[in-house]
Amino acid sequence: MDGAPMTAHELAIVPEGMIADMLTRDAAFDAVEKVFAAMAAGDAYNFPVVREALGHEDALYGFKGGFDKVGGVLGLKAGGYWPHNLERRSLINHQSTVFLFDPDSGRVKAMVGGNLLTALRTAAASSVSIKHLVRKDAKVLGMIGAGHQATFQMRAALETHAFEKVIGWNMHPEMLPNLERVAEEVGIPFEAVDLPGMKDADAIITITSSFAPTLLAEHVSPGTHLACMGTDTKGKQEVEAALLAKATVFTDEVAQSVSIGEAQHAIGENLIAESDVHQIGAVINGTHPGRTSAEEITLFDGTGVGLQDLAVADAIVETALAQGQATRVPL
Ligand code: NAD
């Protein structure tokens, strides 16, 4: 059975513990780049997000789903945030699982651990934006945020573009060694800076759980590319709304950008209109020119869409099946 194609009467399971061996950063990048392109071409769409405060364990639980008609990928990611997991049961606070279904029949095809997958697909999204929007001569990467996601973001960015130095700022400076360790491993210098020091960055990734802007428009130099990845909920905000008015704004999904992403604030303050927010997939497809000058500020508002999870999960299942590593359960 090893390596044999799935039959219509089997479910493939790839548990969390196996994801690290089944998913490379390259594979995550390719899957996310392709699905962003498919979304912009109208070949794939996301379903409305469900997110509920459970009133139990202070948990937030929800579903992100979608359908990629061309890729034949249908499914959802279920999960959320349990803030007491680490202290109470030594589990990480973010917990999720992806379920894939056969779009022809509706039968369940696969169940895939979603925790590491989420970190890698989120890092892949900012990297896709860096590949397509950063200035070719960019040398300095700025990091705002130094938590769990930040290290994934930083590694993927350093693999995507030949940055020569990383500068970092975090509201909790005691977490900055997380970034320093990655820089050391990659073999490039790291420097902690204050927020005005971010003017030296050619690309900036923001990945915090902030509800008020920390990075202001005056902290960003002309020609910078920003990937704002932390804001994925109503009320969250990492950068000053005025920065979006100065930038050409791209996103994974316009509907999410204007409601739960950074653009919610710039639109709320009438600084930009929904029509000013462009799909990154259009740049990938070549139907939007992307960056058009060395002085232009580009900003990717990465809100995180279900199709990213499904595309990456589908790639994992294919690898796991090809390697005979997936658990196959008769239905
Ligand atoms: P984490 O808890 O490990 O780290 C949180 C980070 O935010 C730390 O750097 C912390 O110092 C900083 N921070 C906390 N409060 C802050 C405040 N008030 N102002 C400024 N900074 C503050 O979390 P994580 O797993 O690294 O996730 C970071 C963010 O990314 C979260 O908001 C999460 O919801 C979001 N996220 C987005 C996506 C996406 O697809 N866009 C995917 C996963 C996570």
Side-chain angles (χ1 to χ4, degrees), residues 51 64 77 81 93-94 118-119 121-123 125 144-151 153 169-175 206-212 214 228-233 236-238 252 301-305 308:
R51 200 160 162 89
K64 279 187 168 182
K77 179 168 84 170
Y81 188 67
N93 293 347
H94 291 276
T118 299
R121 67 77 145 142
T122 307
I144 302 217
H148 176 70
Q149 291 279 343
T151 56
Q153 293 287 331
W169 178 88
N170 194 44
M171 174 160 275
H172 308 100
E174 68 279 8
M175 294 169 83
T206 62
I207 181 77
T208 69
S209 43
S210 175
F211 278 81
T214 50
C228 300
M229 305 305 296
T231 296
D232 56 359
T233 303
K236 276 189 182 171
Q237 185 173 12
E238 298 187 286
D252 39 25
D301 187 10
T303 60
V305 293
Q308 272 171 272

Side-chain angles (χ1 to χ4, degrees), residues 14-318:
V14 188
E16 187 62 42
M18 280 177 56
I19 303 298
D21 293 333
M22 294 297 124
L23 180 62
T24 61
R25 273 191 291 279
D26 278 355
F29 184 100
D30 286 348
V32 168
E33 189 179 45
K34 273 201 192 90
V35 84
F36 282 168
M39 282 162 55
D43 293 333
Y45 70 103
N46 292 287
F47 306 152
V49 174
V50 173
R51 200 160 162 89
E52 292 288 317
L54 291 184
H56 174 75
E57 288 281 331
D58 299 319
L60 288 174
Y61 175 68
F63 313 108
K64 279 187 168 182
F67 180 34
D68 177 352
K69 279 179 249 173
V70 170
V73 181
L74 171 71
L76 60 87
K77 179 168 84 170
Y81 188 67
W82 277 258
H84 310 301
N85 269 0
L86 200 57
E87 68 196 74
R88 292 185 185 165
R89 32 190 95 77
S90 299
L91 284 174
I92 65 167
N93 293 347
H94 291 276
Q95 290 291 330
S96 61
T97 308
V98 178
F99 297 88
L100 299 176
F101 299 86
D102 174 4
D104 297 337
S105 65
R107 77 181 165 81
V108 65
K109 271 174 53 178
M111 187 177 131
V112 182
N115 300 348
L116 178 60
L117 179 157
T118 299
L120 289 170
R121 67 77 145 142
T122 307
S126 58
S127 287
V128 166
S129 85
I130 287 171
K131 173 181 162 187
H132 290 279
L133 294 170
V134 83
R135 288 191 339 268
K136 298 293 166 246
D137 64 349
K139 291 187 175 51
V140 179
L141 172 66
M143 291 294 307
I144 302 217
H148 176 70
Q149 291 279 343
T151 56
F152 289 93
Q153 293 287 331
M154 186 172 149
R155 270 181 214 280
L158 296 177
E159 279 186 6
T160 301
H161 182 90
F163 291 106
E164 294 171 7
K165 180 179 177 182
V166 179
I167 58 178
W169 178 88
N170 194 44
M171 174 160 275
H172 308 100
E174 68 279 8
M175 294 169 83
L176 284 173
N178 291 339
L179 303 181
E180 207 166 355
R181 268 192 294 277
V182 177
E184 239 170 59
E185 278 170 39
V186 175
I188 60 170
F190 174 82
E191 189 189 339
V193 296
D194 56 11
L195 282 165
M198 277 292 151
K199 275 189 262 179
D200 289 342
D202 302 305
I204 301 174
I205 297 174
T206 62
I207 181 77
T208 69
S209 43
S210 175
F211 278 81
T214 50
L215 190 72
L216 306 182
E218 68 191 46
H219 301 147
V220 177
S221 292
T224 304
H225 171 63
L226 295 113
C228 300
M229 305 305 296
T231 296
D232 56 359
T233 303
K234 202 167 164 42
K236 276 189 182 171
Q237 185 173 12
E238 298 187 286
V239 305
E240 189 182 20
L243 186 53
L244 279 82
K246 284 177 78 176
T248 311
V249 181
F250 299 88
T251 188
D252 39 25
E253 167 90 44
V254 174
Q256 287 196 184
S257 172
V258 303
S259 56
I260 58 170
E262 283 297 330
Q264 64 180 295
H265 306 288
I267 290 202
E269 293 175 32
N270 286 322
L271 296 174
I272 64 167
E274 184 167 331
S275 57
D276 294 322
V277 183
H278 311 282
Q279 278 185 293
I280 186 82
V283 182
I284 300 167
N285 286 340
T287 53
H288 187 290
R291 167 179 294 281
T292 53
S293 82
E295 291 75 41
E296 186 176 0
I297 295 174
T298 52
L299 186 149
F300 174 65
D301 187 10
T303 60
V305 293
L307 280 169
Q308 272 171 272
D309 299 297
L310 305 186
V312 173
D314 191 58
I316 289 171
V317 172
E318 267 187 30

